[in-house]
Amino acid sequence: MSTLDATLSMLEALPEDARIKVMEFTQRLFTSRNPANPFVPVSQDQIRSDLTESRQQISDGKGLDMEDALNSMGKQHGFI
């Protein structure tokens, strides 16, 4: 089961009022300008710099397979 499948399965099992709370929380998270929001706008230069660093890490063999990483985190936190 993929991480996306596991997440959808978990959400489908929640009662309707809990799903609404998850949706509202997610909306607030993505629209918040609060300093704790990890989704703050970044410049094109920052995106390019991050991408260059990421490509170098992958080239150096330091990258992780995203599906493996997400499945591991899902198991660790009891989502899978």
Side-chain angles (χ1 to χ4, degrees), residues 2-35:
S2 73
T3 303
L4 179 57
D5 291 333
T7 302
L8 290 175
S9 176
M10 179 182 65
L11 288 170
E12 288 170 349
L14 291 174
E16 181 67 19
D17 62 327
R19 282 195 297 252
I20 290 170
K21 287 179 183 178
V22 169
M23 182 189 71
E24 290 171 348
F25 174 79
T26 304
Q27 287 174 333
R28 282 194 310 273
L29 180 64
F30 279 95
T31 59
S32 171
R33 293 284 180 194
N34 154 343

Side-chain angles (χ1 to χ4, degrees), residues 20-66:
I20 290 170
K21 287 179 183 178
V22 169
M23 182 189 71
E24 290 171 348
F25 174 79
T26 304
Q27 287 174 333
R28 282 194 310 273
L29 180 64
F30 279 95
T31 59
S32 171
R33 293 284 180 194
N34 154 343
N37 180 356
F39 306 105
V40 295
V42 295
S43 68
Q44 287 184 358
D45 288 339
Q46 183 62 48
I47 292 170
R48 288 186 186 109
S49 173
D50 291 349
L51 183 56
T52 299
E53 180 180 351
S54 178
R55 286 178 173 158
Q56 185 60 51
Q57 289 172 344
I58 290 168
S59 176
D60 293 343
K62 296 178 183 175
L64 296 174
D65 177 80
M66 183 56 77

Side-chain angles (χ1 to χ4, degrees), residues 3 6-7 64-80:
T3 303
T7 302
L64 296 174
D65 177 80
M66 183 56 77
E67 187 168 353
D68 291 344
L70 291 174
N71 283 331
S72 173
M73 290 186 332
K75 288 176 186 172
Q76 178 182 0
H77 295 286
F79 297 123
I80 298 175

